[in-house]
Amino acid sequence: MVFIIKYFLKNLSILRLLKRNRRSLSIEKVDFLKGLQPGTGEVVKFEGKKVAAYRDDAGTLHTLSPTCTHAGCIVSWNGEEKSWDCPCHGARYDINGEVITGPATKGLAKIDV
Ligand code: FES
């Protein structure tokens, strides 16, 4: 019986630790994107990966892979056109990652952060 109680208490503390770490990860995500003003986009590094992040005027965040689907260059934010533009061969993508202009034929992948 004592063994069962010890086993239960040990697993309970592990669950508490996991719950605490999940909360701190959420805070990290909020800090990461806090500086992104409405109507702006930026390629940023998050958890070791590059992310194309755009916050629309309503405050909704759109996060995409910044890797161009044509040949793998990294897109950059075009604030005037509100698009993601590839510097290598001129492909352009809208805020949802859909192709506006080729040579790319496939959109940018969506990323959940
Ligand atoms: S790599 Fe982006 S258009 Fe070619």
Side-chain angles (χ1 to χ4, degrees):
M1 185 68 172
V2 173
F3 172 76
I4 292 172
I5 292 171
K6 281 184 179 178
Y7 181 78
F8 175 77
L9 290 175
K10 183 178 178 184
N11 284 318
L12 184 64
S13 60
I14 289 171
L15 287 174
R16 284 184 183 146
L17 182 65
L18 288 172
K19 189 175 176 184
R20 191 176 325 136
N21 285 340
R22 194 176 62 201
R23 245 189 243 135
S24 66
L25 184 60
S26 297
I27 290 167
E28 180 186 324
K29 286 180 181 178
V30 169
D31 287 346
F32 158 70
L33 297 164
K34 201 166 40 182
L36 197 59
Q37 298 301 309
T40 63
E42 189 177 342
V43 175
V44 294
K45 222 169 191 182
F46 180 62
E47 293 180 349
K49 292 184 198 168
K50 288 183 178 179
V51 176
Y54 166 70
R55 185 179 301 283
D56 66 25
D57 292 334
T60 303
L61 192 65
H62 305 258
T63 49
L64 303 164
S65 165
T67 305
C68 180
T69 59
H70 176 239
C73 292
I74 300 300
V75 297
S76 59
W77 177 244
N78 177 341
E80 288 189 22
E81 300 290 332
K82 295 208 184 297
S83 62
W84 295 104
D85 298 355
C86 181
C88 293
H89 310 106
R92 295 180 58 231
Y93 304 87
D94 70 13
I95 60 167
N96 296 311
E98 299 299 321
V99 175
I100 300 171
T101 306
T105 57
K106 188 176 164 198
L108 299 174
K110 293 187 179 3
I111 292 180
D112 290 326
V113 294

